[in-house]
Amino acid sequence: MTTYFFRLFVFGQTERSVAAQANLRMLCESLLPGRYRVEVVDVAEHPDVADQERVLATPMVVRMAPLPRYRVIGDLSDHRRMATALGLPEEAPPTPLGDEA
Amino acid sequence: MTYNDAIRRLPTRINGLDQVALGGLPEGRSTLVTGTTGTGKTLFAIEFLARGIQHLDQPGVFVNFEERPEDVRRNAASLSFPIEQWERDRHWAFVDATADAEDGGEVIVGNYDFGGLASRIEHAVRGIGAVRVSLDSLGAVFSRFPNSAVVRQELHRIAHVLNRIGVTSVITAERTSEYNGVSRYDVEEFVLDNVIILRNVLADERRRRTVEIVKFRGTTHRTGEWLFTIDPKHGIVVMPLAFLTPLAVASRTRVSTGNPGLDEMCGGGVYQDSIVLLTGPSGVGKTLTGLGFTAAGIAAGERCLIFALDESRAQLGRNAAGWGLDLDSMEASGLLRIVCDYPEVASLEDHFLRLRQLIEEFQPTRLVMDTLSALERVVTPRALLDFVLSLGAVVRQHRVTTLLTSAPSGRFTPQLTPAIAAEIASLTDVSINLRYVESAGEIHRVVAVLQTRGSMHDPSIRHVTVDSEGLHVGERVTRVVGILSGNSTIPGVPWLLAESPEPEEQQSGE
């Protein structure tokens, strides 16, 4: 069973950061229940980690494992597009809360 | 440093740029450097940091959006900027913001900002105590993020952060055409304060690089486009002011022009560090004078350099032989070096760089350039003036006695506009005119020394004869008026001899 590992880069605890975290976790819960891990990195606190990933825009999520790595920039408000962009399994399409259908 | 002089300058120490910028870039501000592809933007961004490290001990942060750090390091190594060493010494730091090319790709879903980048830049700046920051280049950011409005707004945020932390920065951006707008994505809106444009223009089938300071808000700068070159050794070199460092001492030693008559007219030869401008229509004896000037140097055991435009080595040798001068044996002695080039074979900047290199390597004490006018075919008068200015600075620095010839009324060439001619004349120390005059159905040659800086000279106009021995200065011409005002704007037409005496003149005379 593959475990997914995502690293989410945010800058401070802004509304945008919070939204990105919530959207990512929600998607993972529905598509990868029990087999995912999310690490949130605040660029302001860990700039060296951000350097490794060459972070420009935030929020940005990187699928660290499994390879290959995918990067998605933005607050992840469109779950379907986020799932495709992160290369997640397609079964059980999620229904995002409060977003466009 | 006073506060009423609101904006201070940070010297870039890029060759010649600070003189054009009247001291440097506005300190603590961002300056946008725009240009089309291949104009030298990245080099500008690199040099801005490198010169700060080399000359002023100011660490710098390089934010790269396009080229990877290894590419920047490699490019900079060709200019002997040891970036890796500087990184180890904490003088230089990269903030790598390039896109991820190898991996699975990058997609944008929803809203974003550049807070991450701003934070990384700030961290890097504080980490090494950076004074300077370069961002290269915004084009890559705009092509990566399709929503230009968001990008502009976020770049504004970056600029704001840079200002807040007090660094002086250079931000490069692309332009689509040389003379329209400032930058491609209207990024000038956010750093409107200071804008520099680099150009690489193809004009009259010639490439010409220029730098123009479009605006420095609240401060002064020199206007107009300034020629610059990209020298493999010195990087960006803005002309002409790059070399204008005044000599501490002006030479008091006089040297011969190679012509006793001219020496006498100049008050006993010319000063060793003089630049002599010899003007006259074609065929009047300029090349001959130049050869005589060279021969005198060789005879005294000095190294001489002839830079001949428009004449082949064979033609020059034949002409010299006609006056009993053997250029071949002079060359064989190692004292003479001759460079014959048609002006068209290279750009003016390349001619200049080559000449400068020759002067530095060969260390001549005399230089003849015959003729300056040949260059008029390939450049604008303005560029020619820059060339003379730059050349002047080089020869003065190396104390090379220099003879420049010029045909102001060249029969086949576009002529200098009078203003430029006057400016060139003002750059030279000695100004000699050779002219034709018509008298009693014959053409005569005359010579006049118009100016010798720091010295007395013979104010008379004298007859000149040319025979197989060379050029001879003779009797004073007494009955001619209007030789000099008989001006250079009538191509190829000799001055008319005014036989009619002017009564007032005669009375006031002897």
Side-chain angles (χ1 to χ4, degrees):
Chain A
M1 203 63 150
T2 320
T3 299
Y4 284 77
F5 172 34
F6 301 99
R7 189 171 271 163
L8 176 65
F9 292 94
V10 297
F11 175 62
Q13 284 302 310
T14 62
E15 209 173 304
R16 198 166 277 161
S17 305
V18 174
Q21 286 180 53
N23 282 322
L24 180 61
R25 287 185 199 282
M26 195 181 302
L27 180 76
C28 289
E29 273 306 316
S30 73
L31 286 182
L32 310 163
R35 52 190 188 103
Y36 74 93
R37 192 157 67 85
V38 171
E39 180 185 278
V40 179
V41 176
D42 188 337
V43 177
E45 287 167 24
H46 303 283
D48 43 330
V49 184
D51 284 343
Q52 284 166 25
E53 286 301 321
R54 306 199 297 281
V55 174
L56 197 171
T58 41
M60 176 175 81
V61 60
V62 183
R63 189 180 95 174
M64 307 295 289
L67 292 175
R69 291 209 270 186
Y70 292 101
R71 295 147 71 99
V72 179
I73 288 168
D75 61 11
L76 313 174
S77 51
D78 181 333
H79 287 192
R80 195 166 302 142
R81 287 190 57 219
M82 168 170 48
T84 313
L86 287 174
L88 301 188
E90 283 180 17
E91 64 271 25
T95 35
L97 299 181
D99 256 306
E100 70 263 76
Chain B
M1 305 296 170
T2 54
Y3 283 95
N4 33 357
D5 182 14
I7 296 167
R8 300 198 300 184
R9 300 305 177 96
L10 180 89
T12 62
R13 298 300 287 266
I14 292 174
N15 259 310
L17 183 73
D18 294 333
Q19 285 88 338
V20 174
L22 296 179
L25 303 184
E27 190 171 0
R29 308 292 176 100
S30 302
T31 298
L32 183 70
V33 176
T34 70
T36 55
T37 336
T39 44
K41 298 183 297 294
T42 298
L43 179 62
F44 192 106
I46 293 173
E47 264 205 73
F48 174 62
L49 297 195
R51 301 299 177 201
I53 293 168
Q54 283 182 324
H55 301 296
L56 300 167
D57 205 17
Q58 295 175 341
V61 166
F62 198 91
V63 184
N64 52 307
F65 296 113
E66 196 161 16
E67 291 185 48
R68 302 297 304 267
E70 51 267 31
D71 298 327
V72 175
R73 287 187 197 108
R74 195 174 49 241
N75 291 345
S78 64
L79 279 165
S80 23
F81 296 144
I83 292 189
E84 277 181 284
Q85 180 63 44
W86 288 341
E87 285 178 86
R88 281 194 293 273
D89 297 343
R90 300 176 65 74
H91 294 322
W92 180 296
F94 280 103
V95 171
D96 187 354
T98 51
D100 204 336
E102 307 91 53
D103 287 336
E106 182 177 274
V107 174
I108 294 166
V109 178
N111 300 319
Y112 56 89
D113 55 59
F114 289 176
L117 179 67
S119 173
R120 289 179 62 203
I121 294 175
E122 186 166 357
H123 177 254
V125 165
R126 298 209 189 285
I128 63 169
V131 174
R132 304 176 178 215
V133 174
S134 283
L135 291 87
D136 179 66
S137 103
L138 297 188
V141 182
F142 280 96
S143 55
R144 191 167 159 193
F145 298 94
N147 190 338
S148 301
V150 171
V151 176
R152 271 198 298 276
Q153 174 199 319
E154 290 306 308
L155 288 173
H156 192 283
R157 171 206 292 259
I158 301 285
H160 182 75
V161 168
L162 292 170
N163 287 356
R164 177 169 55 76
I165 59 184
V167 293
T168 306
S169 56
V170 161
I171 302 175
T172 67
E174 282 70 17
R175 311 175 69 219
T176 44
S177 71
E178 293 296 4
Y179 289 99
N180 271 323
V182 171
S183 79
R184 187 168 179 179
Y185 302 96
D186 295 331
V187 277
E188 67 273 23
E189 285 171 11
F190 83 96
V191 278
L192 198 62
D193 284 0
N194 315 299
V195 178
I196 291 177
I197 296 183
L198 303 179
R199 292 191 177 87
N200 186 359
V201 191
L202 190 65
D204 300 329
E205 301 173 11
R206 297 254 133 226
R207 286 245 157 249
R208 197 168 67 105
R209 292 182 185 279
T210 64
V211 54
E212 179 186 9
I213 296 173
V214 179
K215 68 188 325 185
F216 275 180
R217 174 158 302 171
T219 65
T220 52
H221 59 84
R222 290 183 202 272
T223 54
E225 291 181 47
W226 297 82
L227 281 179
F228 77 96
T229 63
I230 294 180
D231 181 298
K233 212 165 86 192
H234 299 98
I236 293 173
V237 180
V238 181
M239 299 161 70
L241 298 146
F243 310 100
L244 290 186
T245 39
L247 266 186
V249 198
S251 175
R252 307 299 300 174
T253 313
R254 286 186 189 259
V255 297
S256 170
T257 61
N259 186 305
L262 276 183
D263 285 350
E264 199 177 316
M265 288 184 79
C266 294
V270 296
Y271 288 122
Q272 193 189 4
D273 55 358
S274 292
I275 298 172
V276 181
L277 178 67
L278 178 64
T279 54
S282 70
V284 78
K286 295 189 301 296
T287 302
L288 173 57
T289 308
L291 288 168
F293 173 79
T294 306
I298 305 275
E302 300 173 8
R303 279 186 302 279
C304 300
L305 175 63
I306 296 179
F307 197 67
L309 297 154
D310 256 5
E311 252 188 329
S312 70
R313 171 66 183 77
Q315 286 171 315
L316 194 64
R318 190 185 57 204
N319 292 346
W323 291 301
L325 298 171
D326 185 352
L327 294 187
D328 293 333
S329 65
M330 291 182 193
E331 267 185 316
S333 75
L335 290 177
L336 176 63
R337 205 172 282 184
I338 301 173
V339 178
C340 292
D341 258 347
Y342 284 91
E344 288 83 359
V345 300
S347 70
L348 190 67
E349 296 90 298
D350 292 335
H351 278 304
F352 172 75
L353 287 178
R354 184 163 173 209
L355 199 47
R356 188 182 67 168
Q357 195 181 349
L358 267 168
I359 289 169
E360 283 171 358
E361 285 170 10
F362 184 53
Q363 296 283 333
T365 50
R366 290 178 185 231
L367 166 71
V368 174
M369 184 146 167
D370 186 39
T371 77
L372 215 49
S373 308
L375 291 172
E376 288 172 48
R377 287 208 302 271
V378 296
V379 297
T380 60
R382 172 77 223 177
L384 189 63
L385 178 64
D386 283 349
F387 175 84
V388 176
L389 262 167
S390 308
L391 180 66
V394 172
V395 297
R396 276 186 223 281
Q397 187 191 341
H398 290 86
R399 291 183 182 267
V400 186
T401 318
T402 301
L403 180 71
L404 306 173
T405 72
S406 159
S409 54
R411 283 172 293 194
F412 305 107
T413 57
Q415 65 193 63
L416 290 174
T417 61
I420 294 289
E423 281 195 72
I424 287 185
S426 75
L427 292 173
T428 59
D429 304 295
V430 179
S431 193
I432 302 172
N433 269 7
L434 281 168
R435 293 285 193 248
Y436 289 115
V437 293
E438 180 192 326
S439 165
E442 279 181 38
I443 300 291
H444 295 271
R445 291 177 170 95
V446 298
V447 64
V449 174
L450 301 185
Q451 135 181 314
T452 54
R453 195 166 286 161
S455 166
M456 298 296 286
H457 66 87
D458 179 358
S460 55
I461 295 169
R462 292 185 179 274
H463 282 290
V464 162
T465 52
V466 173
D467 57 24
S468 61
E469 305 281 293
L471 185 142
H472 306 280
V473 176
E475 290 293 291
R476 184 174 173 181
V477 179
T478 49
R479 295 185 304 157
V480 184
V481 292
I483 286 184
L484 301 172
S485 60
N487 55 66
S488 55
T489 56
I490 307 167
V493 176
W495 285 267
L496 294 179
L497 178 65
E499 287 282 6
S500 55
E502 293 189 26
E504 300 92 340
E505 290 273 324
Q506 295 288 19
Q507 279 161 15
S508 66
E510 50 253 84

